Amino acid sequence: MSPEQLENRIGVVEGDITKQQVDAIVNAANTTLLGGGGVDGAIHRAAGPELLEECRRLGGCPTGQARITKGYRLPSKRVIHTVGPVWRDGHRGEDELLAGCYRSSLALAEQHGVKTIAFPSISTGAYGFPMERAAKIAVTEIKKILERKSSIEKVLLVCFGRNAFEVHQKAVREMVG
Ligand code: AR6
């Protein structure tokens, strides 16, 4: 695939992930999958209480892995819940665990025929992962999947605020092409 084609398949937007018109949005959850603050809180509020009911039945999710549910009142039909690592000092396997979040979310998406998917910047809020480093990991993993003849057509990186948008745009520019 040419760099242009790849670039067209990774979009960076500034906005609220709950408003995205995509097949699936990814949630930055915690191991209980029972909701929380940040993007997790926003997704549960927008989806409605049925989402929490379905999440209860999943029995949690380990860090670096992902689970899938319906989207209920969200514009997206599905939510992929992944659990990012809590940042400590960068020497506790944080990078590999974060890469695992992107890999397992994208693998689940493929298994469910998802063509368009939106990610928030996993772990970079309450979990304190440095955003530039997280953005490089996100783009690396997304690029790997898209280069491998994936059924996924488009991946959106949804950034909360101008700074996040600029950090992600830079990561895509530097790593794609
Ligand atoms: N749309 C897109 N991005 C958002 C939104 C939104 N509506 N709201 C926040 N962000 P965080 P984490 C950005 O804290 O670091 C929860 O309580 C935000 O600016 O949501 O993985 C869970 O239950 C940041 O860049 O997730 C866990 O306990 C990014 O999303 C814990 O927080 C992630 O911030 C997970 O922490």
Side-chain angles (χ1 to χ4, degrees):
M1 197 188 317
S2 74
E4 290 76 24
Q5 280 170 314
L6 188 58
E7 202 173 346
N8 288 336
R9 292 172 69 196
I10 308 180
V12 182
V13 295
E14 186 182 343
D16 179 348
I17 200 162
T18 66
K19 305 277 196 283
Q20 304 302 313
Q21 305 277 343
V22 286
D23 295 337
I25 62 171
V26 177
N27 183 16
N30 58 63
T31 54
T32 70
L33 298 183
L34 297 179
V39 73
D40 196 3
I43 288 173
H44 276 274
R45 273 194 302 278
E50 298 93 337
L51 179 60
L52 183 58
E53 253 171 61
E54 186 177 354
C55 283
R56 272 191 222 289
R57 295 197 292 272
L58 295 175
C61 176
T63 304
Q65 295 188 25
R67 301 288 184 267
I68 193 163
T69 65
K70 289 188 263 183
Y72 300 97
R73 297 174 208 174
L74 286 162
S76 53
K77 256 175 68 184
R78 298 187 185 276
V79 179
I80 294 173
H81 306 261
T82 191
V83 184
V86 176
W87 175 264
R88 293 204 270 173
D89 57 6
H91 298 290
R92 318 286 175 102
E94 292 96 328
D95 289 348
E96 195 43 42
L97 286 166
L98 187 63
C101 290
Y102 286 92
R103 279 201 288 269
S104 41
S105 297
L106 290 162
L108 260 184
E110 286 186 324
Q111 284 162 28
H112 287 80
V114 166
K115 291 190 176 142
T116 54
I117 181 168
F119 280 93
S121 180
I122 298 157
S123 279
T124 65
Y127 283 178
F129 204 115
M131 190 176 278
E132 253 178 66
R133 186 161 167 161
K136 283 186 189 161
I137 293 169
V139 176
T140 302
E141 295 308 321
I142 291 164
K143 190 175 166 212
K144 272 194 232 163
I145 294 274
L146 294 180
E147 280 171 343
R148 215 196 53 202
K149 227 180 160 212
S150 172
S151 57
I152 298 170
E153 289 167 4
K154 179 112 189 176
V155 180
L156 282 184
L157 295 171
V158 182
C159 303
F160 212 51
R162 198 70 203 168
N163 179 58
F165 174 75
E166 280 164 12
V167 167
H168 286 80
Q169 229 187 11
K170 184 162 170 268
V172 171
R173 242 187 271 123
E174 283 174 2
M175 303 178 71
V176 177

